[in-house]
Amino acid sequence: MRGSLKLITGLLIATCSQIATAQQAPTPNPYNGNKRFEQLETILPTPNTYRTASGSPGKEYWQQRADYDIKAELDDVERKITGTETITYFNNSPDELPYLWLQLDQNLFQKDAIGANTKTGGIAGQSSFQQFKDLTDPKKYGYNILSVKDAKGNPLKHTINHTMMRIDLPVALKSGASVSFSIDWNYLITEYYGRSGYEYFAKDGNVNYFIAHWFPRMAVYNDVYGWQHKQFLGQGEFTLTFGNYKVALTVPNDHIVGASGELQNPTQVLSAEQLKRWEKAKTATRPVLIVSQEEAEKAEKGKPTGKKTWIYKADNVRDFAFASSRKFIWDAMQVDVEGKKVWAMSLYPKEGNPLWGQYSTMVVAHTLRSYSKHTVAYPYPVAYSCHSTSGGGMEYPMISFNGGRPEADGTYSEQVKAGMIGVIIHEVGHNFFPMIINSDERQWSWMDEGLNTFCQYLAEQEWDRDFPSRRGEPQYIVPYMKTDPTQQVPIMTNSENIMAFGPNAYAKPATALNILRETVMGRELFDHAFKEYARRWAFKQPYPADFFRTMEDASGVDLDWFWKGWFYGVEPVNQSLENVEWFGIDNIDPLAKNAAAKKEADAKRQTMSNIRNKTDIPKTVVEENPDMRDFYNTYDRFATTEADKKKFEQTMASLAEDEKKLVNSNKNFYVLNVKNKGGLPMPVIVKANYEDGTEEVFRYPAEIWRLNDKEIKKVIPTDKKVTKWTLDPYMEIADIETEDNAFPREPEQPNRFQVFKAQRPVQPNPMQQQQKAGAVQGAKN
């Protein structure tokens, strides 16, 4: 509804003042909106000397360390890994430890594993063959732990509890001390299941191996949980301790191996020609083929004549993974990342070309630069991208397994290309979250996937203008936010309990960060705070409170309301522009004012009844009887008296200059009535379209809802008349219902219908009828 308020001249000054203060006056409040803007202090853990109230590591912060010396062999015939490892564990905690916990992630594939036994669901009519194969595979998967011994070779008592193993120490490990022990083990490699395994190529009989969580690894012991020994059920990923690795991998001598860390013996495993290409790649501006497609195809047709051992070294990493195959094409180049030379490399079979040869290593290089700019400088010497299967990807320190495969004839769609680039950015980007900023993935998937997906979105947009990112923009999360709240869980949900894992662990937190950056905080404040979080917690182990507190501490922006709504709740954003009222200041002098009033009154009298009455009623009673007339029949109500003129002149003369300027400005005052129908409070962003074709955007912070979280009114003064108001004009806040965001309302699009000519009914095929009848009879039998 639109209206115009004509202010009485004598009350002009007071009314102008009231309009100015109306913007501050709260709407009468029948609701308790304050709870949304109260602090999180009762929800977040109490700060202490390990983790401060500012979000920084405390003065007594500590974390454990585990160094590994591993020797392993890949059996390409049995598809089996046999290994021995020596672990040196450093107890930097203030506690004595009578026992140690290790993760045995391969036990996920044992027949009685908790992860397998707790899977639910039926058999669909179109169930995949893989589903039945998994249920009936006779092979015995999981670790065979052959021995656990101390540094002197004496057996250590150990207990296996599904995917965890406890080692009981003869003497408790004191604070500041270390202990070394060894484990011998083997296991059968599973088919690639999204994190690790092998891919078999029926055409040439060869196998690509992507090997991860392949050795017993130390569980985390920290100040938050003590031992983090949640079972590995498959969805929640890994919580790991930093350390130094030396790994010797023995494989068939025609295999190419890429791994976490730097290759220590290139002269023993590479040919003279490959070494020459290696040197060339150090100064190249485009990837150099270390192993060409022709050489890889030749190796596919041959047979190994022996074995080779590739030795890798990786310092200050939380894990180690590798890829091995005779099918691998290998390209590489060194790139400058904030003043440091880093190897960007790719391993892929011919099935990945032409996409992989053209894009993979270049995308790796771009990812390292982009993420370093937004977080911390990439500290490691190398980053591999390995083409695993046609599906998604998986990440480990300095190496990732990525999907995105063209058709057999080498053609590919734009979607496949963008998907491949996106997954490489995402998985290489995981080097930062969580491989460097080392969050607990077993507890909080969003701190790994969500933060990384946000940085992926930034890197994608820097890769190519208008890159078709799947996640990041607020409008992309709307379909999920529209779903039934009972089918949603908060972002702050344990990794194993998340429903709709993709939207909730990846897309929603990434969208929340994008909204913080673009709308709530602004890029400058956000980028500084986000980079400070990365700097503070690089090579440490942050938890949600550390992130929340750092983002506020480094920006000076109170975000507790935002964490409550986006991370602890499932309410959607749904703002509605219910109504707009239009007011103006009466600055018309009495003469003009009365003339205008007379014109308006005359216009109102031009009704059909009055027009017809001029002829249908020759004379009224008053016209026939002059004595019925009185003062009101003779007084001209629109006449301007001298007193009126004098009063107006005196009022104008009494105004201050700024008040006169306001009176003569012809300002418009619009009162916008906005409702928060979804529940999640967000900034109010509204665009005004003026009648001269220009537009203006007004922005109000989320605190506008602090006194009433249901409905507010906002007075907006403008110099020009507005023809249309629009809420959230740039789709910044993930509003789930935009039909009520415009005022006046946009006309709805008409429903479409089609007209068809009447047709004869289709006659059923007699053979189909016979088959259908047989099927019904069979069902009855």
Side-chain angles (χ1 to χ4, degrees):
M1 182 178 71
R2 302 178 69 181
S4 179
L5 176 64
K6 304 300 184 182
L7 304 181
I8 299 174
T9 310
L11 298 178
L12 183 62
I13 299 173
T15 308
C16 290
S17 174
Q18 289 168 1
I19 290 177
T21 58
Q23 298 179 64
Q24 307 300 323
T27 307
N29 182 16
Y31 310 103
N32 181 8
N34 281 327
K35 286 191 293 186
R36 297 187 184 275
F37 292 90
E38 292 297 327
Q39 299 300 288
L40 279 172
E41 57 190 27
T42 59
I43 298 175
L44 299 183
T46 303
N48 51 47
T49 56
Y50 308 131
R51 297 168 190 270
T52 69
S54 69
S56 295
K59 62 182 180 180
E60 296 182 17
Y61 176 83
W62 56 267
Q63 64 187 39
Q64 309 291 64
R65 173 180 155 193
D67 292 348
Y68 296 79
D69 189 339
I70 306 173
K71 297 178 178 62
E73 182 171 343
L74 170 63
D75 185 335
D76 192 26
V77 177
E78 296 293 329
R79 295 174 191 158
K80 179 180 179 180
I81 288 181
T82 301
T84 181
E85 64 184 301
T86 297
I87 302 176
T88 302
Y89 186 72
F90 299 84
N91 182 15
N92 298 322
S93 79
D95 311 320
E96 285 192 0
L97 303 176
Y99 47 78
L100 309 177
W101 280 100
L102 285 83
Q103 301 181 54
L104 302 181
D105 301 306
Q106 285 297 321
N107 286 356
L108 173 71
F109 303 103
Q110 290 179 332
K111 293 295 183 183
D112 63 345
I114 293 178
N117 286 338
T118 56
K119 283 183 179 178
T120 59
I123 296 176
Q126 297 294 323
S127 292
S128 67
F129 178 73
Q130 187 65 40
Q131 179 182 1
F132 301 105
K133 188 176 179 181
D134 291 343
L135 291 170
T136 58
D137 193 336
K139 290 183 179 178
K140 185 180 178 181
Y141 294 105
Y143 285 112
N144 297 308
I145 302 296
L146 305 177
S147 70
V148 181
K149 299 177 181 178
D150 66 16
K152 296 180 180 180
N154 299 316
L156 286 172
K157 182 183 177 183
H158 59 281
T159 303
I160 296 175
N161 177 19
H162 294 282
T163 61
M164 302 300 300
M165 179 171 72
R166 190 188 72 240
I167 297 178
D168 296 322
L169 300 175
V171 179
L173 183 61
K174 294 185 180 299
S175 175
S178 64
V179 63
S180 294
F181 57 94
S182 63
I183 306 174
D184 294 338
W185 45 267
N186 64 52
Y187 74 92
L188 294 176
I189 305 168
T190 64
E191 290 188 51
Y192 192 82
Y193 83 107
R195 302 198 192 282
S196 177
Y198 68 83
E199 180 182 10
Y200 175 69
F201 292 83
K203 283 188 177 181
D204 54 46
N206 288 301
V207 172
N208 289 350
Y209 294 95
F210 306 97
I211 306 302
H213 49 87
W214 56 284
F215 58 96
R217 302 179 293 180
M218 290 302 306
V220 164
Y221 184 81
N222 67 18
D223 62 289
V224 177
Y225 290 107
W227 286 109
Q228 168 54 288
H229 42 37
K230 288 182 67 68
Q231 295 288 338
F232 180 39
L233 305 183
Q235 181 164 281
E237 294 185 48
F238 314 111
T239 309
L240 299 162
T241 300
F242 285 106
N244 300 330
Y245 286 74
K246 182 182 178 182
V247 182
L249 301 167
T250 300
V251 301
N253 66 348
D254 57 353
H255 272 216
I256 297 296
V257 176
S260 302
E262 284 187 288
L263 180 62
Q264 300 298 294
N265 60 337
T267 57
Q268 297 175 17
V269 295
L270 302 181
S271 68
E273 181 60 31
Q274 289 168 345
L275 288 169
K276 190 183 299 183
R277 296 168 183 169
W278 177 284
E279 289 300 318
K280 182 181 177 182
K282 289 181 179 180
T283 57
T285 58
R286 287 291 185 275
V288 173
L289 286 168
I290 310 298
V291 177
S292 69
Q293 180 164 331
E294 291 74 19
E295 290 166 331
E297 289 176 346
K298 182 179 179 181
E300 285 178 350
K301 299 169 185 175
K303 295 290 182 182
T305 57
K307 302 175 182 178
K308 280 184 181 178
T309 298
W310 298 61
I311 300 174
Y312 279 89
K313 186 174 183 291
D315 290 339
N316 205 19
V317 294
R318 61 174 236 160
D319 200 3
F320 190 100
F322 70 94
S324 182
S325 176
R326 63 179 54 89
K327 288 175 64 68
F328 281 154
I329 302 163
W330 180 11
D331 69 38
M333 67 178 184
Q334 280 199 337
V335 296
D336 184 278
V337 181
E338 299 199 2
K340 178 183 176 182
K341 287 291 186 180
V342 178
W343 281 107
M345 298 183 176
S346 295
L347 297 172
Y348 47 95
K350 65 179 186 296
E351 286 80 5
N353 271 335
L355 272 177
W356 276 72
Q358 182 172 0
Y359 292 110
S360 178
T361 297
M362 294 294 290
V363 175
V364 172
H366 165 67
T367 304
L368 297 179
R369 294 188 186 108
S370 176
Y371 276 66
S372 294
K373 178 176 65 177
H374 293 292
T375 60
V376 293
Y378 186 70
Y380 296 129
V382 63
Y384 277 98
S385 169
C386 305
H387 180 32
S388 55
T389 67
S390 58
M394 190 59 199
E395 73 281 354
Y396 302 94
M398 295 183 247
I399 190 168
S400 58
F401 310 148
N402 307 317
R405 184 170 294 174
E407 301 295 328
D409 62 0
T411 60
Y412 54 84
S413 66
E414 183 181 16
Q415 183 179 8
V416 167
K417 172 190 169 184
M420 183 205 75
I421 291 172
V423 78
I424 292 173
I425 291 174
H426 183 89
E427 306 307 339
V428 173
H430 269 306
N431 275 289
F432 297 82
F433 303 99
M435 303 304 162
I436 297 169
I437 297 96
N438 178 36
S439 55
D440 182 347
E441 302 171 86
R442 194 63 57 87
Q443 284 286 355
W444 307 111
S445 290
W446 70 266
M447 292 192 74
D448 156 36
E449 301 297 354
L451 270 61
N452 184 49
T453 300
F454 165 70
C455 290
Q456 173 193 349
Y457 169 75
L458 299 181
E460 286 174 345
Q461 298 308 306
E462 292 167 355
W463 170 263
D464 193 9
R465 200 167 301 282
D466 298 322
F467 186 91
S469 298
R470 293 173 53 226
R471 294 162 173 152
E473 286 285 358
Q475 58 186 303
Y476 301 157
I477 198 64
V478 165
Y480 173 66
M481 302 287 274
K482 280 184 174 181
T483 59
D484 187 338
T486 64
Q487 300 304 305
Q488 297 184 44
V489 293
I491 292 174
M492 288 292 291
T493 298
N494 176 264
S495 299
E496 295 292 357
N497 303 332
I498 297 173
M499 299 187 294
F501 195 80
N504 202 74
Y506 293 69
K508 188 176 178 182
T511 302
L513 295 185
N514 192 31
I515 290 173
L516 279 181
R517 185 173 189 254
E518 300 290 2
T519 303
V520 176
M521 300 171 70
R523 291 189 175 188
E524 183 178 359
L525 287 176
F526 178 92
D527 289 351
H528 172 78
F530 193 72
K531 196 172 182 71
E532 177 65 10
Y533 166 73
R535 185 196 67 77
R536 286 179 178 182
W537 290 98
F539 300 106
K540 296 181 176 67
Q541 192 165 63
Y543 279 87
D546 304 314
F547 177 71
F548 297 153
R549 285 167 168 158
T550 295
M551 291 300 293
E552 296 191 26
D553 178 70
S555 67
V557 180
D558 182 0
L559 297 171
D560 281 24
W561 64 271
F562 189 87
W563 311 130
K564 278 184 179 182
W566 278 92
F567 286 75
Y568 287 90
V570 296
E571 288 180 314
V573 180
N574 187 359
Q575 295 180 2
S576 171
L577 184 53
E578 294 288 301
N579 187 40
V580 177
E581 296 175 281
W582 174 33
F583 296 88
I585 295 176
D586 185 349
N587 65 345
I588 305 175
D589 66 54
L591 186 61
K593 173 183 174 182
N594 290 344
K598 185 176 187 304
K599 184 178 181 181
E600 182 179 353
D602 289 342
K604 286 182 178 180
R605 284 198 294 269
Q606 295 303 308
T607 65
M608 184 54 64
S609 294
N610 285 336
I611 292 171
R612 288 172 176 166
N613 286 342
K614 288 179 181 179
T615 56
D616 291 355
I617 303 176
K619 276 191 178 183
T620 65
V621 172
V622 172
E623 289 171 344
E624 288 183 346
N625 302 276
D627 60 321
M628 294 292 101
R629 294 176 179 272
D630 68 359
F631 171 80
Y632 290 105
N633 295 98
T634 58
Y635 175 69
D636 186 350
R637 69 189 70 179
F638 300 112
T640 303
T641 66
E642 289 299 321
D644 290 333
K645 293 179 182 179
K646 186 174 181 180
K647 186 176 182 181
F648 176 76
E649 290 169 356
Q650 290 174 343
T651 301
M652 292 299 293
S654 67
L655 296 179
E657 287 302 315
D658 58 337
E659 292 174 328
K660 289 180 181 178
K661 186 175 180 181
L662 175 61
V663 169
N664 293 319
S665 67
N666 290 316
K667 278 276 188 183
N668 301 279
F669 295 88
Y670 292 91
V671 181
L672 277 62
N673 182 11
V674 185
K675 282 190 176 180
N676 178 14
K677 293 163 59 179
L680 180 54
M682 286 293 285
V684 174
I685 306 149
V686 61
K687 182 174 74 172
N689 288 92
Y690 296 118
E691 62 183 3
D692 64 359
T694 61
E695 59 188 41
E696 186 175 2
V697 175
F698 301 89
R699 294 176 176 272
Y700 305 101
E703 284 81 0
I704 197 171
W705 302 100
R706 71 190 184 279
L707 299 178
N708 186 337
D709 63 347
K710 300 293 184 183
E711 184 174 6
I712 51 108
K713 288 187 176 183
K714 186 66 180 174
V715 179
I716 302 178
T718 67
D719 293 324
K720 295 179 283 188
K721 290 182 180 178
V722 179
T723 59
K724 178 184 175 183
W725 293 93
T726 307
L727 278 177
D728 190 26
Y730 304 120
M731 298 172 287
E732 297 179 60
I733 60 173
D735 194 321
I736 66 168
E737 186 180 349
T738 58
E739 292 81 2
D740 54 11
N741 282 10
F743 196 91
R745 290 283 186 263
E746 302 262 344
E748 292 186 6
Q749 292 295 323
N751 292 324
R752 303 294 181 183
F753 64 90
Q754 293 177 311
V755 178
F756 297 94
K757 291 183 178 179
Q759 296 181 349
R760 295 174 59 191
V762 177
Q763 297 300 317
N765 186 314
M767 184 62 69
Q768 289 178 332
Q769 284 186 312
Q770 190 176 17
Q771 289 173 343
K772 183 177 180 181
V776 172
Q777 186 62 38
K780 290 179 180 179
N781 292 339

